Amino acid sequence: AQKVTQAQTEISVVEKEDVTLDCVYETRDTTYYLFWYKQPPSGELVFLIRRNSFDEQNEISGRYSWNFQKSTSSFNFTITASQVVDSAVYFCAYEEYGNKLVFGAGTILRVKS
Amino acid sequence: EAGVVQSPRYKIIEKKQPVAFWCNPISGHNTLYWYLQNLGQGPELLIRYENEEAVDDSQLPKDRFSAERLKGVDSTLKIQPAELGDSAVYLCASSLTGGETQYFGPGTRLLVL
């Protein structure tokens, strides 16, 4: 079965620091999707990105960037110049056949002012 | 466009009591999901609907949990009777079709005493 590992349980940074959240997955599939979601204290999971396994181009969206490396089965997420509002739990997820999302355990990010 | 709506947001009940959660997906979304999120963990799929049909309920504890999606729009998840271990957040998500990005609601936080 597919598995998603987020080894960092909790990260604390000071505002304006860059921070990278790691995500490693295990699969035998050749076609799959990877996701990042943000869960602020309000509890709602906010969609950030969806990446097809055939598209290994890095993506940048404002202060957010994602590095997908199929060779190491990693899909890392970097926040540049972090802000207090970035404080949340971040989940990496893998989409199994049948549209089932398998989530990692999440990384708690605390950004201090 | 309105997001996924869930109610209630919070529910406190005594063990052995029944409880029900309601979800209204994003308009036009045919696929609806119920996830369970235990404290400190990522969400886990309970059941997935394609229109009115439950196409994946393999993770739903059918002895006490039931779900329905009449008319292929709103959905209700029920627990009867509730146990202490059912205390968790119940998340509803929807996607345009199976295979598209899932968008989540704010969840219902259940506490069983």
Side-chain angles (χ1 to χ4, degrees):
Chain A
Q2 286 78 5
K3 183 179 175 182
V4 177
T5 301
Q6 294 180 255
Q8 304 148 308
T9 304
E10 185 171 337
I11 302 175
S12 289
V13 298
V14 177
E15 208 169 17
K16 298 184 183 177
E17 284 185 12
D18 298 347
V19 58
T20 296
L21 310 181
D22 298 333
C23 174
V24 174
Y25 60 94
E26 297 175 23
T27 184
R28 293 185 178 181
D29 297 335
T30 55
T31 304
Y32 50 88
Y33 287 92
L34 297 167
F35 298 78
W36 277 94
Y37 284 86
K38 172 183 179 180
Q39 190 172 42
S42 60
E44 182 171 347
L45 276 165
V46 178
F47 166 73
L48 296 178
I49 189 171
R50 180 188 199 211
R51 177 48 53 104
N52 184 305
S53 57
F54 291 111
D55 182 2
E56 291 194 65
Q57 275 196 328
N58 292 332
E59 180 155 341
I60 298 174
S61 176
R63 295 185 297 107
Y64 295 171
S65 63
W66 291 269
N67 181 274
F68 175 34
Q69 296 205 347
K70 210 168 179 178
S71 59
T72 56
S73 297
S74 65
F75 186 42
N76 297 337
F77 172 33
T78 298
I79 302 175
T80 302
S82 60
Q83 300 176 2
V84 173
V85 293
D86 295 328
S87 297
V89 183
Y90 290 86
F91 290 97
C92 179
Y94 175 103
E95 185 177 297
E96 286 189 343
Y97 174 78
N99 200 219
K100 174 182 174 180
L101 284 179
V102 176
F103 286 85
T107 296
I108 300 171
L109 175 63
R110 302 189 196 280
V111 182
K112 303 174 184 176
S113 59
Chain B
E1 179 180 284
V4 176
V5 179
Q6 290 188 247
S7 69
R9 291 296 311 277
Y10 305 92
K11 189 74 177 178
I12 301 174
I13 61 172
E14 294 189 348
K15 63 181 180 182
K16 301 185 182 179
Q17 293 300 306
V19 64
F21 315 125
W22 175 80
C23 173
N24 180 245
I26 293 172
S27 178
H29 281 198
N30 296 320
T31 309
L32 184 145
Y33 314 76
W34 282 102
Y35 285 84
L36 165 69
Q37 185 177 19
N38 287 306
L39 188 64
Q41 298 182 25
E44 297 176 8
L45 181 70
L46 288 173
I47 189 168
R48 175 169 71 99
Y49 281 94
E50 294 288 348
N51 298 304
E52 305 88 358
E53 184 182 358
V55 296
D56 183 358
D57 63 356
S58 56
Q59 303 302 311
L60 189 72
K62 297 181 184 63
D63 57 337
R64 298 183 301 107
F65 286 65
S66 64
E68 60 182 14
R69 193 184 184 199
L70 301 175
K71 301 180 182 179
V73 180
D74 296 0
S75 177
T76 302
L77 178 68
K78 298 178 182 177
I79 308 175
Q80 183 170 11
E83 297 179 351
L84 295 177
D86 296 331
S87 296
V89 177
Y90 292 83
L91 292 161
C92 180
S94 70
S95 62
L96 201 57
T97 62
E100 297 293 325
T101 297
Q102 297 178 34
Y103 295 92
F104 285 78
T108 295
R109 191 175 298 272
L110 174 67
L111 179 60
V112 182
L113 303 175

